[in-house]
Amino acid sequence: MQVKKFLIAQTPEELAQWCKDSGFPGFRAKQLQQWIREKMVIEPEKMLNIPALLRQKLREDFYAPSMKIAEKAASSDGVTKLLLELYDGEHIEMAIIPAGDGRVTFCLSTQVGCPVGCRFCASGKNGLKRNLHTGEILEEFLLGCGYLGRRCDNIVFMGIGEGLLNCNELFPALEMLSSQTGFCFAPRRITVSTSGYIPGMQKFADLQKEYTLAVSLHAPDEETRAKIIPDPLRFPIKDILSAVDTYREKAGRMVTLEYTLLAGINDSDAQAEALGRLAFAHHAKVNLIPYNSTGNDFRRPSRERIESFEKHALATGAVVTRRMERGSGKNAACGQLRIKAESEKK
Ligand code: SF4
């Protein structure tokens, strides 16, 4: 399929060049820039001060937009999941997560499916279909803002996909989100999550930007980790932690170690202490995530077990937080809406 360009991903220079090549005066590029970046509108028909001919040309040359909301699922704690249908009929998910203080976080996807295949995760179940384009990543943000009626306060790339396997499309999207000619989003408020894909972590560190990095460690030892993340995209823990050190030094940001708590797999007090010691030694924070079941063999530990784990990790001196238990309703775990849509398609 011939992929058109994405209007939202055009830089000011590219818009100016496109206007010139298409025979429109330079000030039109500035108007387009205002619609897209300031008013957050990409549909040509809504751009009221743009002539019909230019609107028609925009439609011909660009996706504007390329995706639509196919389904919504709200849980009782206020989290809304949106199933998004892409230009080629594929689906991804994004989540809108309110916090008690009124702030809102968008959780965005970076790939259609995921090649890592973490055993507890619905998103990796059927492998990778394709990478998302820069424009699609940005449209998720825009669509979320439209749905919410305002900009979000934080963005986390923790939806479907291993973002650091899609650096070529993700990094320009981060730049567009955070630059002054883009959406002026503070880099510190943007978090990229990785399963520990070291080549991507190194490239991310080389950006030397203050984005936040979250690494899904899920286990303090290789044997346990192998039960959770399969080969070949599982890297040795010591190398991951060395990449964590590099990121902290180059980006000047403390890294978060994400730890999904799975009953009977990685939730013992001894594992909590081992995790705490690793985090402390590498100046990283730990974020505990009690598992949301996706209908497989993995289970969430009991409340008592979670509390004991947290206590033992904290006793090492590490900084430990626990993710609020959110989005635990039907289809709420990451990737489940998409899996449902895919099976209905078949
Ligand atoms: S948890 Fe993340 S990295 Fe692992 S399979 Fe799911 S989407 Fe991919």
Side-chain angles (χ1 to χ4, degrees), residues 179-334:
S179 73
Q180 292 305 309
T181 53
F183 293 100
C184 304
F185 215 93
R188 284 169 172 256
R189 293 188 171 275
I190 300 175
T191 299
V192 173
S193 175
T194 177
S195 60
Y197 180 64
I198 292 177
M201 289 171 73
Q202 287 162 344
K203 284 188 202 164
F204 196 45
D206 287 341
L207 295 178
Q208 301 196 10
K209 294 279 178 78
E210 287 191 321
Y211 302 123
T212 304
L213 175 65
V215 180
S216 295
L217 202 65
H218 300 325
D221 62 89
E222 298 298 346
E223 197 186 337
T224 309
R225 204 160 186 268
K227 291 180 190 162
I228 301 169
I229 303 180
D231 286 330
L233 288 171
R234 189 183 70 254
F235 286 78
I237 292 172
K238 70 170 177 28
D239 296 345
I240 291 173
L241 292 172
S242 156
V244 162
D245 290 339
T246 304
Y247 191 80
R248 193 186 61 252
E249 282 152 21
K250 288 198 174 176
R253 301 282 289 143
M254 202 179 192
V255 174
T256 301
L257 302 179
E258 303 279 347
Y259 196 97
T260 299
L261 279 165
L262 304 162
I265 306 281
N266 66 355
D267 65 341
S268 73
D269 293 341
Q271 287 164 320
E273 285 161 15
L275 171 68
R277 283 194 296 272
L278 288 181
F280 189 80
H282 292 272
H283 308 285
K285 292 181 271 192
V286 171
N287 188 28
L288 301 177
I289 308 163
Y291 181 55
N292 259 342
S293 178
T294 58
N296 52 34
D297 291 342
F298 294 97
R299 295 281 166 266
R300 176 196 291 246
S302 66
R303 186 168 292 275
E304 297 72 39
R305 183 91 300 279
I306 294 168
E307 281 166 7
S308 177
F309 189 96
E310 186 174 12
K311 198 175 89 191
H312 281 80
L314 277 167
T316 63
V319 178
V320 180
T321 55
R322 195 193 321 170
R323 183 184 288 181
M324 295 268 293
E325 298 186 15
R326 329 221 37 174
S328 55
K330 189 169 172 277
N331 294 326
C334 176

Side-chain angles (χ1 to χ4, degrees), residues 65-87:
S66 69
M67 61 176 70
K68 62 178 184 202
I69 298 174
E71 196 180 327
K72 299 168 209 167
S75 55
S76 53
D77 53 15
V79 175
T80 302
K81 297 207 100 189
L82 301 179
L83 178 73
L84 307 178
E85 186 179 329
L86 310 181
Y87 67 85

Side-chain angles (χ1 to χ4, degrees), residues 114 116-118 120-121 123-124 159-162 195:
C114 181
V116 181
C118 300
F120 60 79
C121 173
S123 302
I160 297 171
E162 163 56 68
S195 60

